[in-house]
Amino acid sequence: MNGEAVLEIRHLSKSFGKNEVLKDINFSVHTGDVTCIIGASGSGKSTLLRCINLLETPTSGEILHRGENILTRTEVSVAPYRAKVGMVFQNFNLFNNMTVLDNCMVGMLKVLKKERKAARETALYYLGKVGMAPYINAKPRQLSGGQKQRVAIARALAMEPEVLLFDEPTSALDPQMVGEVLTVMRALAKEGLTMLVVTHEMAFARDVSSHVVYMADGVICEEGPPQELFGNPKMQSTKDFLARFREQ
Amino acid sequence: MSLPSGFLERILFIIQRYGMSILRGAGSTLLIAVVSTAIGCVIGLLVGTVQTIPVDQKKWSVKRVLITAIKGILYAYVEVFRGTPMMVQAMFIYYGLLYAGLDISIWLAAIIIVSINTGAYMAETTRGGILSIDPGQAEGAKAIGMTHWQTMRSVILPQAMRNIMPQIGNNLIINIKDTCVLSVIGVVELFFASKSVAGTYYTYFETFAITMVVYLILTVTFSRILRAVERKMDGPDSYDLASTDTLAHTSGLYNYPGRGYTDEDAEGGDRK
Ligand SMILES: Nc1ncnc2c1ncn2[C@@H]1O[C@H](COP(=O)(O)OP(=O)(O)O)[C@@H](O)[C@H]1O
Ligand SMILES: [Mg+2]
């Protein structure tokens, strides 16, 4: 745990119809933390991130953002909250009608109401950080998967969020492109960006994170510092899950 | 001058004597078709966009009731005008307006009828165009804090518009051809003009041979123009790599989090 709590998730549950996907989830994200969420496919990791960003409405529970419960907010004030909690998706979700530069600028112009010049500078700065500055004039369809994901990261960073959520950012990539995205993410972690990362990259979770959360069937099974969770897991299901990964 | 006997001679004869009135008819056809297609696209864009406004089915609100009611009315509009022939609509609207004491010009009536009709088709096309854009992009926009309308305007509609361009072209071509049904309310467009010319000397075959060619020239020209517009919308196939000196690189150390706004902004407070 580094600084103060940015996000606190309390008794969060989410059902799709009768299917209870998240059950009483509790954890918090502190400034400077890199929290990795691991767990089998279908265990509710994406749903959890989507709830945190309000892409899904939780069925019950609280999400405190700097102490304020955002679930009681009206529709109108959800957008400013979302602007502070960035999200990087598995499938990039870039705007196909815009160039790389415009992808990174549109949020600053429309949501943060920045001046064009300032927005451009910020966009260029973050595109530079992810190594995509030379591609400002390209459209998403003209980029490789790894390049798209790096632009998506720059787009999220350009909003200068307090927390950045990553939902399996490398799962849709060809193996040779995974590295370039992970390198960027490692650098961001080093700089102190607060990150909440759903990933199957166990090496990344082990080396980069300050906290690891293992989820199974919609509940947090076990959580702790990476040395403990990977080195000395307490729960049988965590051991089984990690063992399955080692075999691969 | 009396009517020559050969086919080609007759064609030339008609062109010389009545070329102008056929051209005027073609001009009317084109004017009505282009203006009405444009207005119809705007109507369709609005209706289709409203039809895709998400409503939260769980929460009760005035807004939700209002949107549902408007959607119902728009749905009825689309069904009525897609489900009845334009010729019948022309009679119904023109004589209906007369009956109601509104003596509008035949031109205005023509444009209203074709616009409303096109709007009904374009509404469905637009709705489909919007739904065809992968919802991931809308989520990407939401995730950076864009509202539904900002997302629509900046992300979804530009792509939906590009995707429905072939349909807009289709509608324009259909309108160029189908304005001929407006002759029932007395609009002197290409078909009406041709019929008058043909009737004078009883040269139906020859005149309508000319009319066929004129319609074909109009439709082919416009489908070419629209193709060019589509290509323009697609932009270049390749891109230039920006060189480092064109990039105004900013430097300096950046501290996460919260650079660029103060905690007060984060709380939604006023700037000091
Ligand atoms: N929109 C939805 N409607 C219904 N069920 C869903 C929806 N999204 C996810 N689920 C279900 O929730 C469960 C958890 O999914 P997800 O959060 O995507 O898991 P993970 O990201 O860990 O693989 C799955 O069983 C999935 O089928
Ligand atoms: Mg997932």
Side-chain angles (χ1 to χ4, degrees):
Chain A
M1 306 283 144
N2 287 293
E4 54 178 316
V6 187
L7 289 173
E8 289 167 74
I9 315 299
R10 290 195 187 153
H11 306 297
L12 188 84
S13 298
K14 170 69 183 173
S15 305
F16 291 108
K18 287 207 178 69
N19 183 11
E20 198 175 17
V21 174
L22 295 177
K23 301 158 200 158
D24 195 30
I25 300 282
N26 291 283
F27 75 101
S28 36
V29 176
H30 296 256
T31 310
D33 273 359
V34 177
T35 309
C36 282
I37 303 178
I38 58 171
S41 187
S43 54
K45 305 178 302 294
S46 297
T47 307
L48 176 58
L49 285 199
R50 294 168 58 80
C51 281
I52 293 175
N53 206 356
L54 298 181
L55 289 174
E56 303 284 358
T57 314
T59 316
S60 64
E62 293 181 343
I63 297 173
L64 304 186
H65 171 244
R66 300 198 180 279
E68 188 204 354
N69 185 6
I70 51 156
L71 295 181
T72 54
R73 283 196 177 184
T74 58
E75 205 178 313
V76 193
S77 58
V78 162
Y81 164 75
R82 285 212 187 100
K84 288 172 199 151
V85 177
M87 178 120 167
V88 173
F89 300 85
Q90 188 172 342
N91 295 314
F92 331 124
N93 291 350
L94 291 178
F95 309 134
N96 292 332
N97 58 321
M98 297 181 199
T99 62
V100 163
L101 184 62
D102 288 336
N103 262 279
C104 296
M105 282 174 65
V106 65
M108 287 187 278
L109 297 175
K110 305 265 166 179
V111 181
L112 304 180
K113 314 280 183 210
K114 279 198 185 184
E115 295 283 325
R116 252 202 117 70
K117 194 163 163 288
R120 187 184 149 88
E121 241 168 55
T122 311
L124 288 176
Y125 172 75
Y126 287 108
L127 282 167
K129 231 177 171 58
V130 300
M132 287 301 291
Y135 297 87
I136 47 173
N137 297 321
K139 289 276 184 79
R141 66 180 142 90
Q142 298 162 325
L143 301 176
S144 73
Q147 291 175 325
K148 280 187 214 175
Q149 194 59 298
R150 286 187 282 147
V151 173
I153 292 173
R155 177 179 72 179
L157 288 174
M159 300 298 288
E160 302 186 318
E162 297 174 17
V163 195
L164 193 46
L165 316 177
F166 292 82
D167 188 4
E168 299 195 29
T170 56
S171 296
L173 299 178
D174 292 338
Q176 71 268 26
M177 289 168 190
V178 171
E180 66 189 58
V181 172
L182 289 181
T183 305
V184 166
M185 290 172 63
R186 277 173 202 271
L188 295 173
K190 217 170 194 169
E191 285 184 39
L193 176 68
T194 313
M195 296 158 68
L196 181 57
V197 186
V198 170
T199 186
H200 289 300
E201 297 292 332
M202 292 304 148
F204 178 86
R206 194 180 51 228
D207 304 341
V208 180
S209 64
S210 50
H211 193 72
V212 182
V213 173
Y214 169 64
M215 277 182 74
D217 295 324
V219 295
I220 294 182
C221 231
E222 185 169 352
E223 60 179 316
Q227 309 87 288
E228 270 176 40
L229 199 124
F230 288 105
N232 184 22
K234 296 187 179 56
M235 306 293 288
Q236 190 55 43
S237 83
T238 318
K239 288 177 191 162
D240 293 345
F241 175 75
L242 293 173
R244 250 179 289 141
F245 259 93
R246 281 197 200 98
E247 279 161 24
Q248 284 171 8
Chain B
M1 199 155 91
S2 66
L3 189 67
S5 56
F7 176 72
L8 284 177
E9 288 79 9
R10 282 185 173 193
I11 295 266
L12 279 176
F13 173 81
I14 294 167
I15 290 175
Q16 268 167 11
R17 294 207 70 176
Y18 300 107
M20 270 326 283
S21 60
I22 291 177
L23 267 186
R24 262 198 304 276
S28 306
T29 288
L30 208 54
L31 184 75
I32 296 171
V34 170
V35 172
S36 307
T37 306
I39 298 175
C41 284
V42 173
I43 296 175
L45 196 67
L46 293 176
V47 175
T49 306
V50 171
Q51 296 284 35
T52 55
I53 295 176
V55 282
D56 191 340
Q57 294 296 348
K58 278 166 250 149
K59 271 192 244 151
W60 241 98
S61 68
V62 180
K63 194 176 143 200
R64 187 191 132 195
V65 174
L66 202 67
I67 290 175
T68 311
I70 293 173
K71 281 186 179 180
I73 293 167
L74 295 180
Y75 178 76
Y77 155 67
V78 170
E79 290 302 324
V80 168
F81 283 90
R82 275 197 327 176
T84 52
M86 191 158 80
M87 196 189 259
V88 178
Q89 291 165 18
M91 301 292 266
F92 178 77
I93 290 177
Y94 183 61
Y95 291 104
L97 287 175
L98 275 184
Y99 187 78
L102 278 172
D103 191 4
I104 60 170
S105 86
I106 226 160
W107 281 93
L108 187 58
I111 286 174
I112 290 175
I113 291 157
V114 183
S115 299
I116 290 181
N117 198 279
T118 310
Y121 278 95
M122 286 312 296
E124 276 305 284
T125 306
T126 305
R127 197 175 66 88
I130 291 171
L131 294 182
S132 75
I133 306 301
D134 133 53
Q137 291 188 52
E139 294 199 333
K142 268 189 186 177
I144 53 174
M146 288 168 74
T147 61
H148 174 75
W149 290 113
Q150 288 172 335
T151 307
M152 277 312 234
R153 232 189 68 80
S154 304
V155 179
I156 309 296
L157 287 179
Q159 293 179 66
M161 283 298 286
R162 168 62 190 89
N163 289 353
I164 66 178
M165 274 306 285
Q167 281 306 315
I168 294 179
N170 244 345
N171 263 290
L172 179 59
I173 301 227
I174 289 173
N175 283 343
I176 289 173
K177 296 187 298 176
D178 284 6
T179 39
C180 71
V181 306
L182 295 172
S183 58
V184 293
I185 57 167
V187 180
V188 187
E189 40 62 68
L190 182 50
F191 173 73
F192 194 112
S194 309
K195 226 171 85 174
S196 315
V197 171
T200 319
Y201 284 95
Y202 220 72
T203 50
Y204 282 91
F205 175 51
E206 296 83 351
T207 309
F208 279 98
I210 297 171
T211 310
M212 284 280 279
V213 172
V214 176
Y215 270 119
L216 203 58
I217 290 172
L218 294 183
T219 53
V220 169
T221 308
F222 274 86
S223 72
R224 285 289 164 88
I225 291 175
L226 281 155
R227 280 284 170 79
V229 173
E230 277 179 41
R231 271 197 302 275
K232 189 116 206 283
M233 285 172 92
D234 285 340
D237 281 336
S238 60
Y239 56 90
D240 292 325
L241 287 181
S243 61
T244 28
D245 47 274
T246 61
L247 300 171
H249 264 304
T250 46
S251 57
L253 267 178
Y254 282 73
N255 285 318
Y256 299 102
R259 193 189 79 90
Y261 45 80
T262 62
D263 275 351
E264 265 167 21
D265 290 336
E267 305 296 336
D270 291 325
R271 244 171 233 278
K272 286 239 169 83

